Amino acid sequence: MQQSGHLKSLSPAELRLLIRQKDPRIRTTTGLAKGYQQANVVILPKHLANDFEAFCHSNPAPLPLLYRSQSGETSCPPLARNADIRTDISQYCVYEEGRLVKTVSSLEEYGSQQRTEQQALHHDFWSDMVCFYLGCSFGFEGVLKKAGIPVRNVEQGRNISMYRTAVSCVPAAAFSCPLVVTMRPVPVDMLNAAVEVTHLNPLAHGAPVHIGDPALLGIQDLSKPDYGEQVELQPGDVTVFWACGVTAIEAIHSSKPSLAFSHSPGCMFLTDVPDSSSVSMTRFLDSLDSPYNKPNPELVPLCFQISHNPPFYSLVSQAAVERIRLLEMIIGDDPGERGIKALFVQDELLRSCLALSHSSSVAITTGFPTHYMHSPPDETDGPPGAIAMATILLSLGKQVTLLTDKRALEMNRAIIDEAVRTGVLKTAIPVVTFEDSGPDSALDFLCHHGDPSKPRYDHLVAIERSGRAGDGNYYNMRAINIKHLVDPIDDLFIAAKNIPGITTTGIGDGGNELGMGKLKEKVKKLMPKGDLIACDVPADFAITAGVSNWGGYAVACGLFLLHTCPSHQRYLKSGLGLERVTPQELLQDWTANLPSVDKEESCLSTLVRFGIRSGKTANLAMEVDGLTFHPTHSDIITRLLEVTHGSNMLKP
């Protein structure tokens, strides 16, 4: 229903009075009380009150608790003067045994209307009830509009779209239910602005919990919201989802109280609490005892697209972005003078780390048989970086598989066993091969039963892996064809492009590595013999480094930074079950599984014992690409760890 201009100019107190008088013009409160917070309301029997409060604190994004009343209290002095929760919402829902039985315009029938206000406060019925006031996303629509961001539901005169998701809230006693979200279409070039202004309004659910494909939340049809009305997207809009207080209604359904009440979705309680732009709001936040309700400007998230198929974006704080960009600068050092800086694209490391952070099963491939005259023909660049990424991914709870050539299978299994024995790798991982045995080989390898809707992996990483050139051959930097030593793992990266939910990363230092096809025009133009050797197979993210191992180390450090970034962790968890700080035992485990000078020196020593040689010189020595481990590689590792652990000092 389109609200009249007159109503939109009224204060919350004036609007509450009209609602109390049952003004027929007020059906929903979207677009009303601009500049003030609105509240979801749940009224429960007092024996459930403590459990519901715990449920709110365990799920702070959908259930930001503004106020919990005393038993029988029908006013809410911290939120609004002269308010009465029995009359000041335009439509209420009534539940019996968790089932919605009717909607009403007043709750006065559930107490004596003839008694004085003081007597009604202590009436037997209301003395057994507790009211919970929870933040509402209508409270940030004003700041969205002020920032120039269109509010489509208001433009279209519709209630907001609300959807039940497949994401489960953290349970508390009798309360257990799926997360409910609101969806607002936002123009793609305004995503960062929308994220910032809502992050700074935590009482109205804060920053989004999902940006992109609704199916990733278990929402199959945007045209059929579970609550509210359909809001239409305009060209260039992205679907942005915020946690929603209607989650509390789902909690009523699951807990099945004998009698309970709530607001009707879209018909909110209008408070006198200003939105996030005011000094009064800051004071109100300071009065709350929940640490989740106090936004930190340093943690304002930035939005990055990490997948096109399906479209998906992630969030990370500016502070973490700056650290990861420092990592990217460090690995761009080029002591071997290959000219790799010419291939650099900013934030490829960041986007790859974000995609890996959202992954659950990762396949890593490495192996560049540049020394075709030796046995084994492999080089020392690649395996150490692969193992460094594998061990941090394992520490973060991901499944990891190492993918190699059939000729090198037993050697790589032995290297993995030795890495576990020496403490370089957290635990053993499967080592597998891929061979082209027919037109569906890649699909069968990547997906369970060859079904594209059931991918076995959600991220493929190639680090210093021979990449197929435009003529179908594989070349080392000296332009020698080594195709006879390379299995067609490139086919997996090509097939992954057409499988929704699989993203890919390539890490290289010359442009002839798998995944560097994303940069092939630069490689052809700027790298020696680039026209011939350039890899033709792209990855979604192409990380360039002076030595490929360094890219693997940087990915490990970047993942650590993301998992210690509160803004990113909140987004990963959909605002549910957040800890005040990272548990110490987890932090210690992640730290122990970062690359270190000692571990990487041990790993390189293992490779040398297996007869694996330096790439540039073919020396069987403690070097990679002709650069000795000390001081070159050890110095890079030290600098990466300084940034990861908090030092902002970059060595020249």
Side-chain angles (χ1 to χ4, degrees), residues 4 33 38 134 383 459 581-582:
S4 72
Q38 299 192 29
L134 308 163
H459 202 117
V581 295
T582 302

Side-chain angles (χ1 to χ4, degrees), residues 1-10 14-15 17-19 21-30 32 90:
M1 174 182 176
Q2 189 74 42
Q3 304 288 353
S4 72
H6 171 67
L7 290 178
K8 291 183 179 181
S9 68
L10 298 181
E14 292 169 324
L15 289 165
L17 181 59
L18 290 178
I19 290 170
Q21 295 169 349
K22 299 179 174 52
D23 190 308
R25 294 174 297 169
I26 303 177
R27 297 284 301 279
T28 71
T29 56
T30 181
L32 297 182
S90 59

Side-chain angles (χ1 to χ4, degrees), residues 336 338 370-371 373-374 377-381 476-478 604 608 612-629 633:
R338 288 187 171 185
T370 189
H371 303 303
M373 300 292 288
H374 294 277
D378 303 272
E379 61 168 302
T380 51
D381 196 12
N476 64 16
M477 291 300 288
R478 292 180 292 279
L604 181 56
V608 172
I612 298 175
R613 299 168 181 270
S614 175
K616 190 173 183 179
T617 64
N619 289 339
L620 193 60
M622 292 292 289
E623 65 177 54
V624 181
D625 283 348
L627 304 168
T628 57
F629 186 80
H633 300 284

